[in-house]
Amino acid sequence: MSPLTGVSSSGPLIGVSSSSLPHASAAELLRAATAIDAQCVDLRAGRGQGWEPHLDLIARTLPVSFVGAGATLGTGVDPDPVPPAVMRVLLQRGIPLRLFVAPLADPAEVRRFGADVDRLRDTWGPGLRLIVEPHTEAPTLAVLDEVLARHGVGAVVDTLALVRLRASIAEARGFLLRHAVAVQVKGLVRRDDGYRHVGLGAAPALTAWTAALLDGTSLPVTVETKAGTAAQDIRTLRRVLAAGGPSSTPVSPEVAACVPVS
């Protein structure tokens, strides 16, 4: 079975988001990722990170779990959400393009979602792999379940979004196994006006819940942190996954308290 999909006893590739590492070029990004023993990367486009002209070089060196753009499906997406040269590499290498997703709170937004997907595929061809990341105003998993299946779109499962949605392990794992192409994890603690990133080791309940979510899967997992703990987070994630096990519990109050109630 491919290390990028499904369930396997071999475990997932564990890597890092480009937004977690200081760098000014693709070479520096690769050196930083290699230094912390990352097995894969996800890349954020449009943030001046310097890797975009050299995506093919990065992909030859490390698996790229996805390239993320800032556009939101369901709001009228431009047919070039990232530079055309980047789009061509995505198509050549089968790298998923990750976009955000509107709340899909009414039929008009759902129709716009479908129109955006059709526009992108009409422009770039049916081989374009599209995935969404539920974010701040995420639709429910039930709504996403139907819409993603209808349009053949995958998902990045972001643990922050799952916590915001108060998803149980059973709900989250079901969604992950049906739609996920990649997983992104982070350590969080609540603060009065929102949340702040911390190392995974400083958020043990959330990290244990994440290990239960990922138990037995082989999807690529990247850590995203603004706390400067990427190397530590990779080590923590490998340790908890090695010692983990399945769980049927819902999100605990301690985990739910990592972010404010929306």
Side-chain angles (χ1 to χ4, degrees):
M1 179 173 290
S2 166
L4 298 183
T5 57
V7 177
S8 168
S9 60
S10 62
L13 296 179
I14 297 177
V16 66
S17 172
S18 65
S19 60
S20 300
L21 297 176
H23 59 278
S25 69
E28 289 173 349
L29 172 61
L30 287 171
R31 282 197 295 271
T34 301
I36 63 173
D37 200 21
Q39 298 170 310
C40 60
V41 292
D42 73 57
L43 303 171
R44 299 305 179 90
R47 294 190 177 182
Q49 294 182 346
W51 60 261
E52 291 174 30
H54 308 287
L55 173 57
D56 196 60
L57 168 66
I58 294 171
R60 290 198 305 268
T61 307
L62 280 176
V64 177
S65 56
F66 62 88
V67 166
T72 300
L73 289 172
T75 63
V77 171
D78 188 282
D80 295 325
V82 296
V86 173
M87 292 294 292
R88 287 191 287 272
V89 176
L90 299 184
L91 288 165
Q92 292 165 0
R93 291 192 166 271
I95 298 169
L97 173 66
R98 185 235 66 191
L99 303 171
F100 295 123
V101 56
L104 305 180
D106 57 56
E109 277 193 339
V110 174
R111 287 193 296 271
R112 284 195 295 271
F113 179 98
D116 286 344
V117 169
D118 290 343
R119 184 182 308 110
L120 287 165
R121 288 177 174 158
D122 288 345
T123 302
W124 295 101
L128 177 63
R129 298 180 66 195
L130 292 172
I131 60 177
V132 299
E133 179 184 345
H135 210 246
T136 304
E137 298 181 1
T140 66
L141 293 185
V143 169
L144 273 178
D145 208 24
E146 178 183 351
V147 172
L148 297 185
R150 185 189 315 164
H151 294 284
V153 174
V156 174
V157 172
D158 179 352
T159 52
L160 171 57
L162 295 177
V163 169
R164 280 195 170 112
L165 291 169
R166 303 296 191 264
S168 69
I169 288 292
E171 293 168 331
R173 277 179 64 86
F175 180 82
L176 180 148
L177 292 173
R178 286 189 295 274
H179 302 292
V181 171
V183 181
Q184 191 174 83
V185 306
K186 57 206 72 178
L188 300 164
V189 295
R190 184 171 177 168
R191 65 183 183 189
D192 291 342
D193 58 345
Y195 64 90
R196 64 183 175 89
H197 285 235
V198 297
L200 290 174
L206 179 58
T207 301
W209 189 84
T210 299
L213 172 71
L214 296 174
D215 183 64
T217 67
S218 58
L219 294 161
V221 181
T222 50
V223 296
E224 181 187 30
T225 179
K226 298 175 184 177
T229 58
Q232 174 188 343
D233 288 350
I234 287 176
R235 292 193 296 270
T236 298
L237 195 54
R238 287 186 175 135
R239 175 177 53 78
V240 298
L241 288 177
S247 171
S248 59
T249 59
V251 177
S252 70
E254 183 181 356
V255 172
C258 289
V259 295
V261 177
S262 58

